Amino acid sequence: MITIGQLAAYAGVTTKAVRHYHERGLLAEPERDSSGYRCYGAEHAIALVKIRTLAESGVPLARIQELLAAGPEEFAAAVAEIDRVLRERAEELQRARVRIARLGSGDRLFVSEEAAGFLEALAESGVSARTVQMERDVWILLQSVSPAEARIWLADKLAAFEDPEFRAIYLVYDAAFEWAADDSRLPGLAERTAAWMLQRPEPEMTQDPAIAQLVAATAGLNSPAWTRLTELTRQAAVRTTTARQEQTP
């Protein structure tokens, strides 16, 4: 017969662990001597080694008793299931490590690599931090609530940004945020913007009204000049479209 301290030492665990296994019902309580001390035998040492081995292998304590009582086939099936769960957990931990590693990359933690690259391109081209922040918020939301549409929209935006005319319009549009609503430059910018928009096809998106409202609310950035510019651009697009239709035989 051996003491709890000896048992723990033989099995390579602490006496606290032995008591915990008793409380969980994993290790049977031994008989006690006349002084009230537990007296362990070889069967307890063998059981404790099994418990420790399973626990160190990643088997949850809640399932150890099940495995100890299982037959060969049940044991193999249970181990396979536990292995699957552990692999999934390991993969999630690896993904978490990747996300943590990306913390130092700023935007790349919250948006896709493509969107982060676009935001960097905006900043490098001279777009204000205000507008870059607006774009960032939109992509964070859109890629979360509608990944499919986000990919289509982003591909279209990246393609547009390769056009020098679009980049030029974007920069002037960004600067126009600070203009007065009656600034004489707004009509010309509206005509230029409408002309560019009408010469390229719209991306094929579902245009879910709810998503559109969310994006608009997330952007949350406007000014008197931008409000007027939006209306002037709409009017210019209507005029151009109408003129083209009248010229069509």
Side-chain angles (χ1 to χ4, degrees):
M1 304 299 289
I2 56 178
T3 65
I4 189 172
Q6 292 172 317
L7 175 70
Y10 293 155
V13 300
T14 63
T15 56
K16 182 178 180 181
V18 175
R19 294 190 179 95
H20 182 61
Y21 295 150
H22 281 316
E23 293 173 0
R24 295 294 297 264
L26 299 177
L27 184 64
E29 283 278 359
E31 295 181 357
R32 294 177 181 264
D33 62 18
S34 58
S35 300
Y37 292 105
R38 294 183 178 95
C39 295
Y40 296 92
E43 70 276 13
H44 296 102
I46 293 171
L48 185 56
V49 169
K50 289 181 177 179
I51 294 169
R52 184 209 69 196
T53 302
L54 291 172
E56 289 180 348
S57 299
V59 177
L61 291 183
R63 300 202 63 180
I64 286 180
Q65 192 169 36
E66 169 195 343
L67 265 64
L68 290 174
E73 292 184 1
E74 294 174 323
F75 186 91
V79 168
E81 170 62 16
I82 292 169
D83 180 64
R84 183 190 64 78
V85 172
L86 289 175
R87 279 188 284 107
E88 290 179 354
R89 191 177 303 166
E91 291 170 1
E92 177 55 34
L93 287 173
Q94 182 59 35
R95 288 192 291 270
R97 290 190 63 199
V98 171
R99 290 193 293 268
I100 290 297
R102 290 165 62 186
L103 275 171
S105 301
D107 296 328
R108 281 178 167 76
L109 179 65
F110 306 106
V111 298
S112 67
E113 286 291 327
E114 293 79 4
F118 174 64
L119 295 173
E120 289 177 357
L122 287 180
E124 290 171 0
S125 68
V127 174
S128 68
R130 172 198 64 237
T131 299
V132 172
Q133 178 66 54
M134 179 193 70
E135 287 267 9
R136 179 185 299 114
D137 290 345
V138 167
W139 290 116
I140 289 173
L141 177 68
L142 190 58
Q143 290 187 330
S144 176
V145 301
S146 184
E149 289 206 1
R151 285 191 293 272
I152 297 172
W153 194 0
L154 181 57
D156 181 69
K157 204 72 173 281
L158 290 172
F161 210 68
E162 293 179 358
D163 184 346
E165 175 66 0
F166 176 81
R167 292 199 300 273
I169 291 173
Y170 197 109
L171 284 170
V172 180
Y173 197 100
D174 178 42
F177 182 87
E178 306 288 349
W179 298 354
D182 59 352
D183 193 291
S184 61
R185 292 170 289 184
L186 289 176
L189 177 56
E191 292 286 347
R192 186 179 181 185
T193 302
W196 186 88
M197 292 172 59
L198 291 172
Q199 56 85 33
R200 67 191 306 272
E202 287 286 332
E204 296 181 3
M205 299 175 66
T206 60
Q207 295 293 341
D208 185 330
I211 293 176
Q213 290 175 4
L214 275 174
V215 170
T218 302
L221 193 62
N222 210 344
S223 73
W226 274 11
T227 299
R228 182 159 186 260
L229 186 55
T230 298
E231 178 58 26
L232 289 173
T233 301
R234 187 191 65 79
Q235 294 173 3
V238 170
R239 286 196 303 272
T240 302
T241 301
T242 301
R244 289 177 180 176
Q245 292 173 343
E246 292 174 349
Q247 293 174 0
T248 301

